[in-house]
Amino acid sequence: MTAWLHIHWRAWAVGSGLAVVLLVASLAWPLPAERPDAPHTLTITDRHGEVLRTVYPDGRRQPVPLTAIDTTAIAALMATEDRRFYRHPGIDPLAVLGSMRQNVQAGRVVRGASTLTMQVARAMRGVTNRGWTDKLAEAHLALRLELRWSKDRILQEWLNRVSFGNRAHGIEAAAQLYFGTSARDLTPQESTYLIGLPQSPSRFNPYRHPDRAAERQRHVLGALVAGGTLTPADSARWASLPLSLRSRSQAFQAPHFTTALLSSADGERAREWRTTLDARLQSEIERRVTTRLQPLRDQRVTNAAVVVLENATGAIRAYVGSEDFWNPDIAGQNDGVRMRRQPGSALKPFVYGTALQSGRYTPASILPDVPLAVPSAGGAFTPTNYDRQFRGPVAVREALASSYNVPAVYLAREMGAATVLRTLQEAGFASLDRPASHYGVGLVLGNGDVQLLELAEAYAGLARGGQRPTAHPFLWHRTASGDTLHRPPAVPQPMGLTPATVAQLTDMLSDDEARQPGFGGGEVLRAPFPLAVKTGTSQDYRDNWTVGYTPTHTVAVWVGNFDGAPMQEVSGVTGAGPIFHDVMRLVGAGGAFDGGEALTETAVCPESGDRPGALCSTTRTERFQPGTVPTDTCTVHRQIAVDTRTNTRAAEDTPPAFVEERRYTVHPPAFVGWMEREGLPMPPPASAPTPEAVAAAGDTAPPGADEARRESPLVITQPAPGARFIIDPTLRRAHQRLHFAGYAPDGWTDLTWRVDDEVVEGPWTLAPGRHTVTLSARDPHGHTHTSPPRALSVIELTETPPTR
């Protein structure tokens, strides 16, 4: 038995000795290869070379010697992380025992025993998920480090390697990021603040959890007091002093622009990206956006986006994605330049351009601005103008410049939804990726989602005479090897519009006089230089836009809320307009528009669009493409002989003493109902009509009224037979009204509309259910007539469609 024990003791002793020898020998194992002190960096600069953003793909790291670090930081580090740093060989046995005791008592891990040397070893190994084997490997590497490096070298490595959060590695990078200073120039307050962060960089992130970071600093100060390095009075004073923490917005400029570039980077390890952005213009626009949004806060407005393009190349000169990139309360990191939202009337010019190019319309052509019912897949909708007024016959020029909705829908109906969609897609609106049946002709009013950047590119195409540029962010790239690679702009794409057509659109969009009936005489859309501009407001004031161009630059502005919440009656003029005005003044004049020399100027009658006749009291000079100059003479203004005794038309046997020549403005039959509602004088009948004449008086009614004409001379044209309307829950009820339209013979009076036998004055507010509409009027003999009833139905959606 004794011999057996002796043999095993000798084996154990030999084995232990061999293990010690192997352990000691293993300490001679080479240290891991060190990574370069200067990691790869990418500098993004503006067109003048000003730095917009410096990116550290491998993390921000700026190594400095220990002598270049504030001594308070070094003292705080040892007091907090490793008080016996200078007395242990890389592993602290006392700390290990104390950690084991506290963890056993707590029944969980509440304290570690990692020394500064072990933390450097962990950083060198780069292992994030650490098991027991990893901890043993760190301890082994710590012993090897202590054999090769001095204590000061290990401290220096810790201060240059560990993470301080937000991709900042090392105290120099952290000092630059958080305080805009060097590690040498840190104040004691700043040093103790930074030293507390590496224990848990995400938990103590100063930008996300400032209260936690401040509490952690108090812990560091307490460790200094416990170690006798700092008095309690000094600790209290340092904790009470305010810190000038650098805001994230100071970290780099043009955050949405640079973020968009980085998200689309092709992986090339460039040293510098020279961009087209103008940093000074960008900064001034950001300031103006904040200033202009401030008075709109009470109207539930939180955000705006702006993009400025150089027309010649599509170069992006400014790119503001939100009012404040760093404000989470307004979802500031969303990019309003690239999000999809409904543009309202901002799409109209491209539809008008296609109509002009067809040759069937000119800027002088007359369009109807009267109540209109438009069938759609879900029922029918009745477009109304922004001010809910109808102006009867309006010229194309005024309809576009004043942004009337009804004439635009009339034009879109004639073109067809498929043609409208194709027109907009050719103009560059790739976001409109659904079939024409999804949008219908309401697409001309902006019921499809597009990007602000697409809008800017399309309007820059108008400024270029119909050749759309692609937004271009780069001038050149400089590679890590020093080569400069220039990035030429993409070849402009045709938009399907000729230069002459675009010249007409530009002329109308820059016509302040034609814009005045719809927008008044405000200065928001005016400039002391040539400027073409268009506004847009989506349904229920959820988005508003102003976009326009000079010969050299295009500016597009969006105002709204990223969550889709409606604003309080803020339109393109009152919301986006002031920002647009400021930005255009910053960009400045761009000379005169080209293309006008291809147009012919001719005088026309503004109420008919034809050549002026002898009875036309006013004329206007209009600009036409070759081959579209009107040849007909105005017939709207007429002189009619009236029998003053009966106020009927004079007959051949009317005594001359009772004949009076009167001047009348007689529009086509489609405008009769509008003239009656407006109280405009109508030509008198030839004489008191007989019942047979009354029955025949419906000849001017539109096609489709034959059946009603046989039953009654009163004809309802709107709503259409069997019309179905839908109440949109996203719109206010006051905005969902139906304008009735119909015809009565000349000379009939007291036209009265009824819904379900209740008299309706003005537009009728949609109400769920099935309803009947009738029109009644009094003939010249005093008899009352009633039209056949017209049925319609109204349904109400119960769920709000999702907002993108």
Side-chain angles (χ1 to χ4, degrees):
M1 183 67 177
T2 303
W4 182 85
L5 291 175
H6 180 72
I7 292 172
H8 279 272
W9 180 85
R10 289 183 61 189
W12 180 85
V14 171
S16 299
L18 182 60
V20 170
V21 171
L22 292 176
L23 176 62
V24 172
S26 70
L27 296 180
W29 192 267
L31 298 179
E34 297 183 53
R35 63 181 179 182
D37 284 343
H40 169 63
T41 62
L42 168 63
T43 302
I44 304 175
T45 56
D46 87 330
R47 61 192 301 240
H48 302 294
E50 181 175 340
V51 175
L52 300 174
R53 185 171 184 174
T54 301
V55 182
Y56 302 86
D58 306 319
R60 183 192 299 261
R61 183 166 178 249
Q62 297 171 263
V64 292
L66 194 64
T67 55
I69 300 174
D70 177 53
T71 56
T72 302
I74 299 172
L77 172 61
M78 289 188 293
T80 306
E81 297 289 340
D82 195 347
R83 286 182 292 172
R84 288 180 290 273
F85 173 72
Y86 279 103
R87 300 196 299 273
H88 64 65
I91 301 174
D92 187 350
L94 295 179
V96 172
L97 293 174
S99 172
M100 293 176 61
R101 183 176 63 254
Q102 290 187 24
N103 292 339
V104 169
Q105 290 174 349
R108 58 188 178 89
V109 177
V110 296
R111 175 185 169 185
S114 181
T115 65
L116 289 175
T117 312
M118 293 174 67
Q119 292 176 34
V120 172
R122 183 191 315 162
M124 293 179 68
R125 295 186 70 242
V127 177
T128 54
N129 297 321
R130 300 161 58 233
W132 284 108
T133 57
D134 292 303
K135 293 180 181 180
L136 289 174
E138 287 172 9
H140 186 265
L141 180 54
L143 293 174
R144 288 151 56 199
L145 288 173
E146 290 277 353
L147 287 174
R148 290 168 173 80
W149 290 355
S150 68
K151 289 288 188 179
D152 285 353
R153 170 73 185 278
I154 294 172
L155 275 179
Q156 177 178 294
E157 288 296 321
W158 191 99
L159 289 163
N160 282 325
R161 284 179 179 272
V162 299
S163 172
F164 286 77
N166 292 295
R167 297 180 61 81
H169 298 278
I171 194 169
E172 177 69 18
Q176 296 285 354
L177 174 64
Y178 295 122
F179 297 112
T181 188
S182 66
R184 182 194 304 274
D185 297 326
L186 287 169
T187 67
Q189 296 88 349
E190 294 168 344
S191 290
T192 53
Y193 188 88
L194 291 182
I195 289 300
L197 303 182
Q199 196 220 31
S200 181
S202 59
R203 175 176 172 77
F204 300 124
N205 187 330
Y207 294 134
R208 293 184 177 273
H209 309 293
D211 293 341
R212 295 178 186 174
E215 180 62 31
R216 178 62 180 169
Q217 182 195 26
R218 287 190 285 272
H219 172 78
V220 173
L221 291 172
L224 285 170
V225 172
T229 306
L230 187 67
T231 66
D234 286 339
S235 174
R237 181 170 58 85
W238 288 4
S240 64
L241 291 174
L243 281 171
S244 299
L245 188 67
R246 195 181 188 198
S247 69
R248 287 181 292 181
S249 61
Q250 295 173 302
F252 52 88
Q253 302 182 66
H256 291 93
F257 176 71
T258 56
T259 299
L261 296 187
L262 291 169
S263 66
S264 61
D266 55 9
E268 173 192 341
R269 291 180 71 84
R271 189 168 67 193
E272 180 182 353
W273 287 349
R274 179 63 57 87
T275 70
T276 60
L277 201 82
D278 187 324
R280 285 170 291 183
L281 177 64
Q282 172 83 14
S283 178
E284 186 60 30
I285 292 175
E286 290 173 352
R287 187 179 69 82
R288 299 294 180 95
V289 166
T290 299
T291 300
R292 287 296 190 177
L293 287 184
Q294 193 60 41
L296 298 176
R297 303 296 186 196
D298 293 339
Q299 293 174 267
R300 299 195 295 270
V301 180
T302 62
N303 240 312
V306 182
V307 64
V308 179
L309 299 184
E310 181 185 81
N311 297 333
T313 63
I316 299 174
R317 291 296 188 227
Y319 186 119
V320 179
S322 73
E323 193 268 335
D324 184 359
F325 182 84
W326 305 107
N327 186 350
D329 294 336
I330 61 171
Q333 295 193 20
N334 287 354
D335 190 346
V337 173
R338 295 179 184 272
M339 70 178 179
R340 294 187 180 189
R341 300 297 283 261
Q342 291 192 357
S345 297
L347 300 183
K348 288 177 183 174
F350 306 98
V351 177
Y352 275 91
T354 300
L356 293 172
Q357 191 150 295
S358 70
R360 297 194 302 271
Y361 290 91
T362 72
S365 298
I366 301 300
L367 295 175
D369 185 12
V370 296
L372 177 68
V374 182
S376 67
F381 76 96
T382 56
T384 58
N385 297 317
Y386 176 76
D387 59 3
R388 295 188 284 277
Q389 301 296 318
F390 295 97
R391 292 169 175 81
V394 294
V396 165
R397 173 177 292 274
E398 181 183 328
L400 174 59
S402 288
S403 197
Y404 300 148
N405 290 335
V406 179
V409 173
Y410 176 89
L411 206 59
R413 284 187 66 188
E414 181 171 305
M415 294 169 59
T419 300
V420 171
L421 178 59
R422 184 169 60 252
T423 293
L424 294 172
Q425 289 174 337
E426 288 179 356
F429 295 99
S431 295
L432 300 175
D433 52 8
R434 298 193 179 188
S437 59
H438 172 78
Y439 303 109
V441 296
L443 187 56
V444 72
L445 304 183
N447 68 0
D449 295 345
V450 303
Q451 295 180 343
L452 185 67
L453 190 61
E454 289 177 327
L455 205 61
E457 289 176 332
Y459 274 76
L462 296 181
R464 289 175 49 88
Q467 298 292 315
R468 175 179 54 84
T470 300
H472 183 58
F474 292 114
L475 290 177
W476 46 259
H477 287 184
R478 182 162 292 150
T479 67
S481 60
D483 295 328
T484 300
L485 306 177
H486 291 274
R487 295 292 187 96
V491 176
Q493 298 299 309
M495 302 170 65
L497 299 176
T498 65
T501 298
V502 172
Q504 285 183 312
L505 288 175
T506 299
D507 187 54
M508 291 187 285
L509 293 173
S510 59
D511 188 342
D512 291 332
E513 183 178 348
R515 188 184 300 117
Q516 187 165 353
F519 295 95
E523 296 297 319
V524 169
L525 304 181
R526 296 175 181 265
F529 45 78
L531 173 64
V533 59
K534 185 72 188 70
T535 63
T537 304
S538 66
Q539 68 169 359
D540 210 21
Y541 301 99
R542 295 180 185 274
D543 309 272
N544 67 68
W545 316 66
T546 303
V547 57
Y549 53 92
T550 67
T552 57
H553 290 87
T554 295
V555 174
V557 180
W558 166 86
V559 165
N561 301 302
F562 282 146
D563 62 1
M567 297 167 282
Q568 186 175 337
E569 297 188 355
V570 178
S571 69
V573 174
T574 59
I579 298 175
F580 173 86
H581 178 82
D582 288 351
V583 175
M584 266 302 179
R585 296 297 292 263
L586 290 172
V587 171
F593 289 114
D594 296 328
E597 63 277 1
L599 305 179
T600 300
E601 293 188 351
T602 302
V604 298
C605 170
E607 295 189 74
S608 66
D610 293 326
R611 289 184 176 275
L615 298 176
C616 296
S617 58
T618 60
T619 62
R620 186 186 73 235
T621 300
E622 189 52 86
R623 310 179 78 187
F624 298 90
Q625 296 188 47
T628 65
V629 177
T631 57
D632 294 336
T633 301
C634 173
T635 58
V636 167
H637 299 106
R638 306 177 188 177
Q639 190 161 294
I640 298 175
V642 177
D643 187 333
T644 58
R645 296 171 300 176
T646 60
N647 279 327
T648 60
R649 300 193 188 209
E652 293 183 359
D653 58 351
T654 302
F658 299 104
V659 175
E660 180 180 300
E661 297 289 338
R662 296 179 183 175
R663 181 178 176 275
Y664 290 91
T665 300
V666 184
H667 293 288
F671 301 105
V672 170
W674 170 79
M675 293 181 67
E676 291 177 339
R677 285 191 297 274
E678 295 296 315
L680 300 178
M682 304 284 289
S687 60
T690 63
E692 292 76 11
V694 169
D699 289 342
T700 58
D706 293 339
E707 181 178 350
R709 184 182 297 118
R710 288 194 298 270
E711 297 179 4
S712 168
L714 297 173
V715 178
I716 296 176
T717 59
Q718 182 173 307
R724 184 163 64 104
F725 299 87
I726 297 176
I727 296 177
D728 188 341
T730 66
L731 288 176
R732 297 184 180 92
R733 288 296 181 91
H735 295 175
Q736 304 189 69
R737 303 187 298 175
L738 177 60
H739 294 262
F740 299 127
Y743 294 90
D746 290 347
W748 287 39
T749 59
D750 299 334
L751 272 68
T752 303
W753 290 97
R754 288 180 172 83
V755 176
D756 302 330
D757 293 328
E758 292 187 8
V759 175
V760 175
E761 295 183 359
W764 175 64
T765 301
L766 296 180
R770 299 184 62 84
H771 308 278
T772 57
V773 180
T774 57
L775 171 64
S776 62
R778 189 182 304 275
D779 66 24
H781 297 284
H783 302 135
T784 298
H785 300 256
T786 301
S787 70
R790 177 66 53 84
L792 65 88
S793 61
V794 180
I795 62 175
E796 183 173 15
L797 296 178
T798 57
E799 296 183 359
T800 301
T803 301
R804 287 187 290 174

